[in-house]
Amino acid sequence: MSKYLIGLTGGIGSGKTTVANLFAELGIELVDADVVARDVVEIGTSGLTQIAAHFGKQILNQDGRLDRVALREIIFSEPKERSWINGLLHPMIRTEMLNQLASTSSPYTILVAPLLFENELDRLVNRTLLIDISPEQQRKRTINRDSVTNEQVEKIISSQAPRVEKLLKADDVIDNHGKISALKSKVIALHNNYLKLSNNA
């Protein structure tokens, strides 16, 4: 792909969305893997039809939409089912992401992907940006935000690559333990650097 792409990632509760929105405020287009993942299982999609056929109608809410809480409990407690769902959805998500990335027009584009390294999506981008916080803060933020149990958070964190591994792989790192004002200045500095890199690409 000829466009200059930045892969933005971080563990659950790290603040990826906050950082991505700050880049968007600077006029940078985003392609969000989580949004794409929701789109491919909307009502009427092949993805949702196959999930319902595999797990049964109990995986659906009363309105026919996917019950994400029920699915999350299944796939984080049964590795075999997680492998099945990944095998089904990852190709669909990847195809749609590539389509969206190809249609952007900002100086560079950000691919927001929680599992950037785990799913080898870093191969698609020119540079990677990790939003980093401690595991303790991850747990606290996620429990407060999503009203999930500590056990569920632990399962999600353990399914993602270790923090040290991601720190070693990332080209750029934003430490997100501070205030939003500090975050904004870090984003602006990176934005200016990415503009230069995209111009020279």
Side-chain angles (χ1 to χ4, degrees), residues 73-121:
E73 285 179 9
I74 292 170
I75 65 175
F76 283 111
S77 59
E78 299 180 39
K80 187 173 73 174
E81 297 294 9
R82 186 159 80 235
S83 295
W84 182 86
I85 202 88
N86 286 345
L88 171 70
L89 296 182
H90 283 179
M92 295 180 182
I93 294 167
R94 188 183 184 92
T95 299
E96 179 58 24
M97 280 193 313
L98 289 172
N99 289 339
Q100 291 188 20
L101 288 168
S103 67
T104 59
S105 57
S106 54
Y108 64 92
T109 302
I110 291 184
L111 171 62
V112 186
L115 300 177
L116 186 80
F117 297 121
E118 293 88 336
N119 292 340
E120 298 183 343
L121 295 173

Side-chain angles (χ1 to χ4, degrees), residues 10-19 21 32 34 38 69 72 76 112 114 131 133 136-150 152-153 156-157 160 176:
I12 188 168
S14 62
K16 291 181 300 296
T17 302
T18 301
V19 172
N21 288 339
D32 191 320
D34 277 352
R38 288 194 288 272
V69 174
R72 184 188 291 175
F76 283 111
V112 186
I131 314 307
I133 60 168
E136 293 74 30
Q137 276 207 299
Q138 270 189 284
R139 293 183 192 97
K140 188 177 176 182
R141 288 183 184 180
T142 306
I143 289 169
N144 291 340
R145 183 190 68 189
D146 298 344
S147 301
V148 293
T149 65
N150 192 59
Q152 284 177 311
V153 176
I156 294 168
I157 291 174
Q160 298 179 338
N176 195 19

Side-chain angles (χ1 to χ4, degrees), residues 50-69:
Q50 292 182 66
I51 289 170
H54 181 81
F55 292 108
K57 288 292 198 306
Q58 72 269 16
I59 204 70
L60 302 177
N61 289 318
Q62 285 187 329
D63 63 0
R65 295 183 184 280
L66 180 65
D67 185 337
R68 297 179 184 283
V69 174

